[in-house]
């Protein structure tokens, strides 16, 4: 596309982003936005960045890139038990990004704004000689002081996870053609995470601690254990698997390492005091979100994965770290 037909920075903001804006963002025509969290209370904030070549490929569908960028942030809010209401967007665009790409990107945001009831509050747009770099800051509302922290797990608490674990890591293998993925189920789980917002909000009253699974089940539960000053045991056969993941593990049991250590599932892992287990199971079922008890909080430190005979398994992947 010739350079003259490209939208300039201000046209881009007016054409593609202003229609997505919250009332407090003044149509993205002023210098900053005013935040009014619905229902008052605390504002909960999180930011995640995504870099082409590190978190996604520049040739991935732009609408899916946008939706994943938004959803990984909404998952952090869900993990705090907050209800998302808005977000700010940072774009560093290399020359190869054209208007068609940006339109699809904005359409992806529009779709998820409707799905998750959030609005755009503002952002910044720059050009860059480096890779396409995206940053999103999401804002949520919580009743004052009522967020779900990583601290607070106690001896004897049950360890739960939502949904199924390991699908995203296997989905990445499927996208590389390394495993079968009938119906592209696993690839879909990798590309379009499902933030557990309603469950997270319900957990603020019942769970003792929680976080979302972005680095990998063992690594993230390890973060919770460190923050709470406890250890955890999980029973490998209780970890909930999708049918697609189960078929892969049955054919190649070594891939259990990806279930334990692969990231990007964006499910919640949380701990529940024994007397509140029945309550949380009923609440999750009324929300239509599957939750599974996979283990317990123990004295000591670290996460111990046990096989069916109670022997410890040593997972070979310990979670993704950028540095
Ligand atoms: P300044 O130069 O003062 O930072 P900008 O021109 O960057 O102002 O921003 C003008 C308005 O457009 C602001 O409300 C800002 O939040 C909004 N904006 C700029 N880039 C984006 C973007 N990528 N997404 C959403 N809003 C944006
Ligand atoms: Mg600016």
């Amino acid at each position: 596309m010739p350079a003259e037909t490209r939208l300039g920075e201000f046209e881009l903001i007016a054409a593609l982003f202003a229609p997505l804006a919250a009332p407090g963002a003044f149509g993205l025509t002023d210098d900053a936005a005013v935040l009014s969290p619905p229902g008052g209370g605390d504002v909960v904030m999180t930011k995640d960045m995504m870099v082409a070549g590190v978190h996604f490929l520049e040739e991935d569908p732009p609408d899916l890139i946008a939706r994943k960028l938004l959803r990984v942030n909404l998952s952090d809010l869900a993990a705090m038990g907050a209800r998302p209401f808005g977000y700010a967007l940072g774009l560093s665009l290399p020359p190869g990004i054209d208007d068609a790409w940006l339109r699809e990107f904005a359409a992806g945001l529009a779709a998820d704004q409707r799905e998750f009831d959030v609005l755009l509050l503002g952002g910044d747009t720059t050009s860059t000689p480096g890779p396409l770099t995206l940053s999103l800051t999401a804002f949520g509302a919580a009743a004052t002081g009522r967020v779900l922290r990583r601290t607070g797990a106690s001896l004897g608490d049950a360890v739960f996870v939502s949904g199924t674990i390991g699908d995203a890591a296997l989905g990445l293998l499927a996208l590389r053609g390394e495993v079968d993925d009938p119906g592209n189920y696993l690839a879909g789980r990798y590309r379009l995470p499902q933030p557990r917002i309603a469950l997270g909000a319900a957990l603020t009253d019942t769970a003792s601690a929680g976080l979302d699974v972005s680095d990998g089940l063992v690594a993230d539960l390890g973060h919770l254990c460190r923050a709470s000053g406890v250890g955890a045991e999980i029973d490998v056969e209780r970890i909930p698997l999708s049918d697609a993941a189960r078929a892969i593990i049955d054919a190649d049991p070594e891939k259990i390492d990806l279930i334990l250590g692969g990231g990007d599932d964006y499910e919640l892992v949380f701990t529940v005091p024994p007397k509140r287990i029945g309550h949380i199971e009923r609440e999750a079922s009324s929300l239509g979100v599957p939750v599974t008890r996979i283990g317990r909080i123990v004295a000591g430190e670290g996460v111990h994965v046990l096989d069916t005979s109670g022997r410890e398994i040593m997972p070979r992947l310990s979670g993704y770290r950028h540095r």
Side-chain angles (χ1 to χ4, degrees), residues 37 40-44 82 85 140-147:
D42 286 337
V43 174
V44 183
F85 65 88
T144 307
R146 300 216 61 98
V147 288

Side-chain angles (χ1 to χ4, degrees), residues 34-53:
V34 176
L35 303 192
S36 324
D42 286 337
V43 174
V44 183
M45 187 282 297
T46 185
K47 179 190 206 68
D48 261 314
M49 299 182 64
M50 290 185 7
V51 179

